[in-house]
């Protein structure tokens, strides 16, 4: 009787111990799974942040480069140079004001203004408005001093009149008679960042926030600013009355890229901090990706799954053990093996499902990134195209001024002939005026066609017209720099596959680069040669310049690589893309120490002309 009692008392004791061990196992498994899920979620957020920050840098850089060439083009304008000369007339200043207003409206610049060497503003795109810059002294601004001393200057600051922050790009006029300034504001970029629901901001080398998706953070700092730097900032009136407070960002121990964000009564939240440099500047772009919701969700799911799996596994083990004690060893072993096999299949199936889900997410993310990359590439191509317009704007103005002067002369003579009753001679003068007007219309049509955003089409175009239009656009600049242009003229019926205006853009870019390379040399000469070989037609642009060093020849087609002090580094990269879109190829055929030769190969079109519309910008 006593033996039965002991046995009855022993069974509940063993079951209670098993339950206690099972609960402890569930807790430990849930804790370990939560830690693993947290690390996985943080790694996933880090990967997403690294992918996103590259796109954010590209958007910011595209907005800056869109305006980068504008001060250079305006500084070369004769009327802008005359506006800072001795005793400019009121009519001249009014014309410059109107032109600056038109350019600002067309390019999206906040304001454009011209400053004399003494710091006084003489013309501005906002002339006539209540907050006009005309008559104001900006000699204290660092960007003005930098431009006068070194030719170019830039500064991010708060406007003393408008009270709006922006990037000021300055360029010296002539030998230092004045400075032209373009202000770029980043409202559109900041709005895009806010829509992304991540805190994004840009800091300068001093750690001061310049552009941000959080307006309250503007002009706060990552670290304390010393008294000397504060005095210099106040002297240059860079940030108005900003107090330069510390940002509410606090590092988390043990996690170098995890921070806590919070100030005062605002609840603090955890985020992953990522940063990347902005090329061409001393700025850093930083993003704060919230981790709270994602990490908590993954941790909770891991707890539930681990608890269920552990509980089921424990229950199965307990059942198998109980059955093993009540059945023969062979049946118990078989049941254990079957349970183990089922558990392994379930684990592998779950792992495969998770892997498939992750692969689908990565594929979707890569597709989105590729679409964004293609969009940014198109915008960079258009930015390079607009930059090229600024380079030969002076040449186009020279070409138009000559017919305008002739029209004025013919008009004056026609009036005299009419008064004298010589109607037939006056009619000849009127006909001459009409021809000159058609000439000006042709030039402006070419300029508009060149500026229009490119369309990816491929059709037969007359190579003779492409070459003639390109030479016409660069001829005035070559003559001004005393560069001899020699060119083969293609046969009138020779056609190639492509887009006429885009091929003109490539040829103009190659000729402009060649002219820049030989300008000022003893034998400044640029040759355009035509080479025909079966189904391929090639145009070679050769110059007598110093050539391209061997160590950089492999980088000439890389984006943002340039050997020019004021270049963007986009021309050759965009040109190669255009030629490849047309089915051809653009290569560096020579130029190591004895001039440079670029070769543009295209596909010869069939002799018959299909019924397609005439390419934009073709000569009538």
């Amino acid at each position: 009787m006593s033996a039965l009692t002991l046995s009855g008392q022993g069974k509940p004791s063993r079951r209670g111990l098993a339950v206690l061990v099972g609960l402890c196992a569930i807790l430990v498994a849930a804790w370990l799974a939560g830690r693993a899920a947290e690390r996985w979620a943080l790694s996933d957020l880090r990967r997403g942040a690294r992918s996103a920050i590259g796109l954010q840098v590209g958007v910011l850089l595209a907005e800056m480069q869109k305006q980068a060439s504008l001060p250079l083009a305006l500084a070369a304008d004769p009327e802008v140079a005359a506006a800072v000369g001795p005793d400019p007339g009121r009519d001249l200043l009014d014309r410059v004001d109107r032109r600056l207003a038109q350019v600002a409206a067309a390019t999206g610049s906040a304001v454009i203004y011209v400053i004399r060497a003494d710091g006084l503003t003489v013309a501005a795109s906002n002339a006539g408005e209540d907050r006009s810059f005309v008559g104001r002294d900006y000699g204290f601004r660092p960007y003005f001093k930098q431009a006068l001393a070194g030719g170019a200057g830039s500064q991010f600051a708060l406007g003393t009149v408008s009270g709006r922050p922006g990037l000021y790009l300055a360029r010296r006029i002539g030998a230092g008679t004045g400075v032209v300034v373009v202000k770029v504001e980043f409202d559109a970029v900041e709005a895009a960042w806010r829509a992304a629901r991540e805190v994004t901001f840009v800091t300068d080398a001093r750690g001061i926030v310049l552009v941000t998706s959080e307006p309250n953070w503007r002009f706060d700092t990552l670290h304390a600013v010393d008294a000397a730097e504060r005095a210099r900032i106040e002297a240059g009136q860079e940030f108005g009355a900003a107090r330069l407070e510390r940002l509410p960002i606090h590092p988390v121990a043990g996690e170098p890229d995890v921070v806590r964000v919070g100030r005062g009564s605002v609840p603090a939240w955890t985020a992953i901090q990522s940063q990347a440099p902005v090329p061409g500047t001393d700025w850093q772009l930083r993003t704060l990706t919230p981790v709270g919701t994602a990490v908590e969700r993954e941790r909770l799911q891991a707890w539930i799954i681990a608890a269920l799996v552990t509980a089921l596994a424990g229950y199965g083990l307990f059942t198998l053990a109980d059955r093993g004690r009540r059945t023969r060893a062979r049946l118990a072993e078989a049941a254990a093996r079957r349970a183990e096999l089922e558990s392994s299949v379930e684990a592998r199936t779950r792992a495969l499902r998770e892997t498939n889900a992750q692969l689908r997410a990565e594929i979707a993310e890569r597709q989105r990134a590729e679409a964004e990359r293609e969009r940014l590439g198109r915008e960079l191509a258009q930015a390079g195209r607009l930059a090229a317009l600024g380079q030969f704007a002076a040449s186009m103005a020279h070409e138009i001024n000559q017919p305008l002067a002739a029209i004025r002369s013919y008009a004056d003579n026609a009036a005299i002939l009419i008064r004298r009753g010589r109607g037939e001679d006056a009619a000849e003068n009127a006909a001459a005026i009409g021809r000159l007007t058609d000439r000006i219309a042709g030039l402006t049509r070419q300029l508009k066609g060149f500026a229009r955003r490119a369309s990816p089409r491929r059709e037969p175009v007359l190579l003779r017209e492409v070459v003639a239009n390109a030479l016409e656009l660069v001829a005035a600049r070559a003559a001004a720099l005393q560069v001899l242009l020699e060119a083969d003229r293609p046969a009138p019926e020779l056609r190639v596959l492509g887009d006429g205006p885009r091929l003109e853009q490539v040829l103009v870019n190659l000729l402009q680069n060649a002219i820049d390379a030989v300008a000022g040399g003893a034998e400044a000469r640029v040759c355009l040669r035509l080479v025909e070989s079966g189904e391929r037609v090639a145009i070679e642009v050769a110059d007598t310049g110093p050539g391209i060093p061997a160590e950089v020849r492999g980088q000439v087609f890389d984006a943002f690589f340039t050997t020019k002090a004021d270049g963007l580094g986009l021309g050759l990269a965009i040109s190669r893309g255009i030629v490849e879109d047309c089915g051809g190829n653009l290569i560096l055929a020579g130029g190591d120490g004895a001039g440079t030769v670029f070769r543009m190969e295209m596909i010869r079109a069939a002799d018959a002309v299909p019924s397609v519309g005439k390419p934009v910008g073709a000569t009538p």
Side-chain angles (χ1 to χ4, degrees):
M1 185 70 179
S2 60
L4 293 174
T5 304
L6 291 174
S7 176
Q9 292 176 349
K11 289 181 180 179
S13 176
R14 287 194 298 270
R15 291 174 181 173
L17 180 61
V19 171
L20 180 61
V21 171
L23 291 175
C24 292
I26 290 173
L27 293 176
V28 171
W31 181 81
L32 293 175
R35 292 289 295 173
E38 181 179 348
R39 288 193 295 271
W40 182 87
L42 288 176
S43 299
D44 187 60
L45 288 174
R46 288 187 179 99
R47 287 192 297 270
R50 285 194 296 268
S51 300
I53 198 169
L55 297 177
Q56 302 287 18
V57 170
V59 171
L60 178 65
L61 198 60
E63 184 68 19
M64 295 170 60
Q65 291 176 343
K66 186 168 63 176
Q67 309 287 348
S69 62
L70 190 55
L72 178 64
L74 291 175
D77 191 286
E79 289 193 342
V80 174
V84 294
D87 192 22
R90 185 66 259 171
D91 291 342
L92 173 63
L93 295 178
D94 290 341
R95 287 199 306 273
V96 173
D97 289 337
R98 289 193 297 271
R99 178 178 297 179
L100 295 182
Q102 293 171 354
V103 173
T107 60
S109 303
V111 65
I112 306 173
Y113 50 103
V114 180
I115 308 174
R116 283 199 320 232
D118 59 0
L120 189 67
T121 303
V122 297
S125 61
N126 60 2
E129 299 179 5
D130 294 338
R131 294 187 175 185
S132 172
F133 288 6
V134 176
R136 298 183 182 273
D137 188 355
Y138 291 104
F140 63 91
R141 283 293 202 185
Y143 63 77
F144 173 76
K145 299 176 182 178
Q146 293 171 6
L148 279 184
S154 62
Q155 178 191 6
F156 192 98
L158 191 70
T160 57
V161 176
S162 65
R164 294 176 58 82
L167 177 63
Y168 294 83
L169 304 174
R171 177 67 65 168
R172 183 174 60 198
I173 300 174
T177 56
V179 171
V180 60
V181 184
V182 175
K183 182 182 180 182
V184 183
E185 295 180 356
F186 298 95
D187 293 347
V189 175
E190 291 178 340
W193 289 349
R194 283 192 291 272
R197 297 183 180 180
E198 288 188 359
V199 177
T200 306
F201 58 98
V202 175
T203 59
D204 62 9
R206 301 166 295 185
I208 300 176
V209 178
L210 305 179
V211 185
T212 174
S213 61
E214 294 290 329
N216 295 333
W217 286 15
R218 183 171 283 111
F219 303 142
D220 285 355
T221 64
L222 290 173
H223 44 75
V225 179
D226 56 34
E229 184 62 22
R230 285 179 178 269
R232 194 191 68 77
I233 292 173
E234 292 177 0
Q237 300 184 26
E238 290 188 51
F239 308 128
R243 292 179 293 178
L244 302 179
E245 295 182 349
R246 290 285 298 274
L247 285 171
I249 300 176
H250 313 284
V252 174
E255 296 286 349
D257 59 345
V258 179
V259 296
R260 295 281 292 172
V261 183
R263 174 188 289 168
S265 60
V266 179
W269 50 281
T270 306
I272 293 178
Q273 180 176 241
S274 304
Q275 65 183 49
V278 180
T281 70
D282 58 359
W283 294 358
Q284 289 282 333
L285 188 143
R286 303 171 187 267
T287 60
L288 298 178
T289 305
V291 302
T293 304
V295 172
E296 289 297 331
R297 182 176 62 252
E298 295 296 334
R299 185 188 294 122
L300 180 60
Q301 292 177 354
W303 285 347
I304 295 173
I305 293 173
L308 290 176
V309 171
T310 306
L312 291 174
Y315 179 75
L317 290 174
F318 179 78
T319 302
L320 289 175
D322 187 61
R323 289 182 63 184
R325 289 192 300 268
R326 293 183 291 111
T327 60
R328 288 179 289 186
R330 183 179 58 82
L331 295 176
E333 182 179 358
R337 288 179 179 178
R338 185 170 58 254
E340 182 179 358
L341 179 60
E342 292 175 354
S343 177
S344 176
V345 170
E346 181 182 0
R348 292 186 180 183
T349 303
R350 185 172 58 255
L352 287 175
R353 286 198 300 268
E354 293 175 355
T355 301
N356 289 336
Q358 183 177 358
L359 287 175
R360 286 194 295 270
E362 290 180 357
I363 290 172
E365 180 64 26
R366 290 189 179 182
Q367 289 175 345
R368 288 193 295 270
E370 182 66 19
E372 184 67 14
R373 183 191 65 79
E374 292 178 357
R375 185 185 66 80
L376 292 176
R378 290 192 297 270
E379 293 191 358
L380 285 175
Q382 184 67 3
R385 192 180 185 88
L386 294 177
L389 282 175
Q391 293 182 356
F392 58 78
S395 298
M396 183 62 69
H398 177 74
E399 289 292 331
I400 293 176
N401 282 336
Q402 290 179 346
L404 285 177
I407 287 173
R408 178 58 183 269
S409 176
Y410 279 126
D412 292 340
N413 291 339
I416 295 173
L417 292 172
I418 290 173
R419 284 196 296 271
R420 294 180 179 179
R422 296 169 61 184
E424 185 175 350
D425 294 337
E428 292 180 359
N429 283 5
I433 290 174
R435 289 191 297 273
L436 292 172
T437 303
D438 291 339
R439 171 64 176 163
I440 294 175
L443 291 173
T444 56
R445 183 166 57 254
Q446 290 179 19
L447 186 60
K448 288 193 295 182
F450 191 80
R452 187 175 294 112
R453 184 179 293 273
S455 59
R457 60 179 180 177
R458 189 185 297 181
E459 59 187 8
V461 294
L462 287 172
L463 188 59
R464 189 182 187 92
E465 293 181 355
V466 172
V467 173
N469 291 340
L471 291 173
E472 190 172 26
L473 288 173
V474 302
R477 187 163 182 267
L481 296 176
Q482 297 183 351
V483 176
L484 177 61
L485 279 177
E486 298 178 354
D488 294 343
R489 298 288 180 170
E493 69 280 359
L494 179 59
R495 291 178 172 84
V496 295
L497 289 180
D499 186 347
R502 301 183 78 199
L503 292 178
E504 289 177 21
Q505 177 188 356
V506 174
L507 200 51
V508 166
N509 185 61
L510 296 178
L511 291 170
Q512 293 276 23
N513 289 345
I515 292 171
D516 291 339
V518 302
E523 293 183 6
R525 187 172 72 256
V526 175
C527 298
L528 189 148
R529 298 191 292 263
L530 179 67
V531 181
E532 299 183 43
S533 177
E535 296 183 354
R536 310 289 287 187
V537 178
I539 293 180
E540 294 184 348
V541 177
D543 62 57
T544 58
I548 299 176
E551 59 271 15
V552 300
R553 287 169 59 84
Q555 308 175 43
V556 295
F557 292 102
D558 293 345
F560 306 110
F561 174 81
T562 180
T563 57
K564 301 180 183 179
D566 56 349
L568 294 177
L570 294 173
L572 288 177
I574 294 172
S575 297
R576 169 173 274 186
I578 291 172
V579 176
E580 290 178 351
D581 287 345
C582 296
N585 192 20
L586 179 62
I587 61 173
L588 177 60
D592 187 6
T596 305
V597 179
F598 281 94
R599 181 184 181 92
M600 181 174 68
E601 298 180 351
M602 296 160 290
I603 301 175
R604 184 194 297 269
D607 293 336
V609 182
S611 57
V612 296
K614 186 164 64 175
V616 177
T619 302

